[in-house]
Amino acid sequence: MIDEPRRLALGDEMAARFAAPEIQARTFAPLVLDMLVTKGDFKADWVDAFERWYPSETDLRGYDEELGWLHAVAHGADLLNRFGCHPEVDPVRMLDLAAARLTAPTGHIWNQLEDDRLARALARVLTRSDMSEYDATAWLEPIAANFGSAHIPTPVPAHLTNCLRTLRMLHLFADRGVRPNPESEPVALHHREAVKAALAETLDRIIKR
């Protein structure tokens, strides 16, 4: 059993690893922080470090034959979920962070269910009842502006493909609800109808280009 001071020190070490040169250090830090926050530990500095890293990570491989699982997007999505549901974290901050990840240019198409994991994280954050309807939908506007204001080249950019797949899955969660864990019943998203409408409008603005 690790006592609280050691857990907090471990969390500080994991937050520092977001700036490590090794990809494994960066992408496994979210898993440890997720476990610590689940146990009840929390520091605002951890959120700051995560916010700096998540949209800026460029190595988005899911599985590597030599290194094994890396999964930056999926592991980051799990921590985004955890922080986004934490009472000391503004949920809008995590929604905006997800939007930044979705619009960050990359040549890598997510192929290990990363889009589903990020959509589920967004859905979980959107179950919070302390957001206005505007808060629950405004994070989509930068996505629509980013992808819907210019001609889409051929082939379609990888980050646009990633984004569209994530938003489509999120629309399904908005329609059906999201399970906090596999054994629980689905929980409805707060402002469910407004979120569904905003997602549909965003997808339409992008695809019609």
Side-chain angles (χ1 to χ4, degrees):
M1 188 69 177
I2 304 176
D3 59 25
E4 182 179 16
R6 290 183 180 180
R7 293 197 307 270
L8 293 176
L10 177 61
D12 289 342
E13 181 180 342
M14 293 301 106
R17 287 191 183 185
F18 284 128
E22 301 85 4
I23 179 61
Q24 306 98 307
R26 300 195 301 273
T27 62
F28 276 82
L31 294 182
V32 179
L33 284 172
D34 188 5
M35 289 187 287
L36 291 171
V37 177
T38 301
K39 288 286 291 182
D41 301 304
F42 177 82
K43 292 180 72 172
D45 290 348
W46 300 349
V47 186
D48 295 338
F50 174 59
E51 187 176 41
R52 288 190 295 270
W53 167 74
Y54 194 42
S56 64
E57 178 59 60
T58 58
D59 191 339
L60 305 183
R61 291 172 291 168
Y63 184 81
D64 179 79
E65 291 295 335
E66 294 185 4
L67 299 176
W69 285 105
L70 299 174
H71 242 185
V73 175
H75 292 169
D78 293 346
L79 185 57
L80 187 145
N81 173 357
R82 192 67 58 197
F83 280 146
C85 293
H86 196 282
E88 293 187 48
V89 178
D90 181 358
V92 174
R93 184 179 180 186
M94 293 298 103
L95 297 176
D96 289 341
L97 182 59
R101 176 65 274 174
L102 288 169
T103 54
T106 178
H108 178 74
I109 293 180
W110 303 339
N111 58 3
Q112 297 291 343
L113 302 180
E114 292 93 345
D115 43 354
D116 299 300
R117 292 270 282 275
L118 185 50
R120 183 181 182 276
L122 281 161
R124 289 282 294 124
V125 176
L126 287 164
T127 62
R128 285 184 56 163
S129 59
D130 56 346
M131 284 188 290
S132 68
E133 183 176 301
Y134 175 82
D135 290 338
T137 58
W139 63 278
L140 288 164
E141 183 55 37
I143 294 176
N146 186 291
F147 291 124
S149 60
H151 174 70
I152 295 175
T154 302
V156 174
H159 59 300
L160 174 53
T161 296
N162 299 334
C163 181
L164 289 173
R165 286 163 45 181
T166 302
L167 297 186
R168 289 171 189 146
M169 179 56 71
L170 180 56
H171 192 280
L172 180 61
F173 282 127
D175 186 60
R176 306 293 293 178
V178 60
R179 299 175 189 271
N181 57 69
E183 295 76 31
S184 64
E185 291 298 315
V187 176
L189 276 60
H190 202 54
H191 305 298
R192 169 179 176 269
E193 293 302 325
V195 170
K196 286 175 61 178
L199 283 166
E201 181 181 354
T202 300
L203 289 167
D204 182 60
R205 286 176 61 183
I206 296 171
I207 294 171
K208 73 180 180 181
R209 306 298 297 183

